[in-house]
Structures are given as C-alpha cells and as structure tokens.
Amino acid sequence: MESAAALTLIHVVQIPVAWYGTMSLPTTGSWEAFEEYRRLGEQHLVAFRGEHFSDAQFRDAQSIATICEWGDPGDAILAHAEKADTDLIMMATRGHGPFTGFLLGSTAASVLHRAACPVWTDAHLDADAEEPRPEHVHVRNILCAVDLEKDPRHVIQSAAALAAKLSAEVRLVHCVPSSAGGPAAQFDLEFDRFLAD
C-alpha cells in the first residue's frame, strides 16, 4: 500500500524539573550539559531514521523529517502538530497505569486529551519481548471512543477513513459512569438503564 503522507519523527528533551519555578537561572555548566543532551538526541533520532526507515518500502528515507526540541514533550508535540497541520499523531505510551500517570503526568495522556487530530498510541514492548512480525501487525478492528458532550464527527470520520484504507471494521463506544458498587447499587438499576439509554 503506497501513501503520499509525509512523516515527521520528533524527539523532545525534557527540561529538568528542578529548573521549573526557580528564581535563579540554571548555571552555564548545567545549560551546556542540557544542550549536549539535545545534540545527542538529534544524532540518535537521525540514526533511528536510518535504521528503521531505509528499506525498500520507503522511497526516500532522507525525506522523512526529524525534529529534536527541548521543553515539555506534550506541548512540543502538540505545537508541531498544529504548525504542520498534522492529520495523525502516532506515539507509544509506557503503560504505567492510571495511578502512576496521575502522579507523574503522561505525555501520551496530555497529547490524547489536547490534540486536535486523531492520536494512535500503543504500549512500548518490553526489551525481552519478541518483535511482532509484519504479517501479524494487521489492523482488523478499530475501536473509536466518542464523547457525546463534544462534537464526535471528526474522530468518527477519521476512524472510518482509516478503516476504509485498512479494510477494517469500526466499532463506536461511548461509556457512561454507573452507580456506585455494593448493595446500594441493586436499587439503582433504573438509573443505570437511564444512563445506558
């Protein structure tokens, strides 16, 4: 399947947390070390492009843009997506779970909640995990979660367009909170039916 889509790889070097909210500027030595992290990130990103995007399925791997910035990762990804009029953001998530994400923040969650375009995300594989073979990475079913309090047409249309290209099925889901668990929940069956309707 050939596509005319442009691909941009972005890596963001996060500003050290200790620098936020401080009245004094970071010392010259620490700023130089931080700039070195950014330069190394840029080199690794170009090497990653060469390693993963140089085979026959990519006509010109050098045309794949690489961007290495510093700042908040979520903010930088969203700013570039808006500037480049991006149609789809693809990113991995570390899969730490909701509690860790709440305490530490999550770049994937930040992008998912604030992006104007669809976001495709997947959990990182463990280092020991076997890489899925290309023939196993076939999308057959797309689950499209919709929020009925916002206009869901854009996300539904995007899911349908992707499904058409991949010969996949789309299932729409909208979740509503149920009444609290425990014995009292037995008395709220009528309210649960109302929420489901």
Side-chain angles (χ1 to χ4, degrees):
M1 176 173 63
E2 193 167 317
S3 173
L7 177 63
T8 301
L9 305 175
I10 184 168
H11 173 70
V12 183
V13 179
Q14 190 161 9
I15 295 174
V17 175
W19 291 4
Y20 286 100
T22 181
M23 295 301 288
S24 59
L25 293 172
T27 63
T28 304
S30 60
W31 180 257
E32 287 171 357
F34 182 67
E35 271 297 303
E36 182 61 21
Y37 290 140
R38 195 193 62 73
R39 281 191 290 276
L40 285 172
E42 202 166 49
Q43 290 171 3
H44 287 140
L45 190 58
V46 171
F48 178 87
R49 177 183 66 188
E51 182 181 345
H52 295 282
F53 296 95
S54 60
D55 57 16
Q57 64 180 328
F58 297 94
R59 285 173 283 151
D60 183 8
Q62 294 304 314
S63 68
I64 297 172
T66 58
I67 296 173
C68 186
E69 295 183 357
W70 55 270
D72 176 76
D75 289 345
I77 291 166
L78 291 168
H80 179 74
E82 183 179 347
K83 179 180 170 187
D85 196 23
T86 300
D87 299 307
L88 175 68
I89 298 171
M90 298 184 75
M91 60 189 302
T93 178
R94 296 186 189 280
H96 287 311
F99 186 68
T100 307
F102 173 74
L103 289 178
L104 302 178
S106 163
T107 299
S110 172
V111 171
L112 278 167
H113 287 290
R114 297 164 46 210
C117 66
V119 178
W120 182 332
T121 184
D122 190 11
H124 280 294
L125 291 173
D126 291 334
D128 300 334
E130 184 182 333
E131 282 269 344
R133 293 195 302 243
E135 62 268 24
H136 292 169
V137 188
H138 178 71
V139 178
R140 292 180 292 278
N141 294 293
I142 297 174
L143 183 66
C144 180
V146 294
D147 181 351
L148 298 179
E149 293 181 11
K150 298 177 181 172
D151 186 357
R153 285 179 290 186
H154 179 66
V155 72
I156 293 170
Q157 289 167 349
S158 296
L162 182 60
K165 284 185 187 246
L166 301 175
S167 300
E169 289 186 18
V170 176
R171 289 184 172 85
L172 301 180
V173 63
H174 171 69
C175 298
V176 293
S178 70
S179 55
Q186 302 304 315
F187 300 103
D188 288 332
L189 294 177
E190 191 174 326
F191 181 62
D192 284 347
R193 282 192 205 101
F194 166 77
L195 288 174
D197 289 342

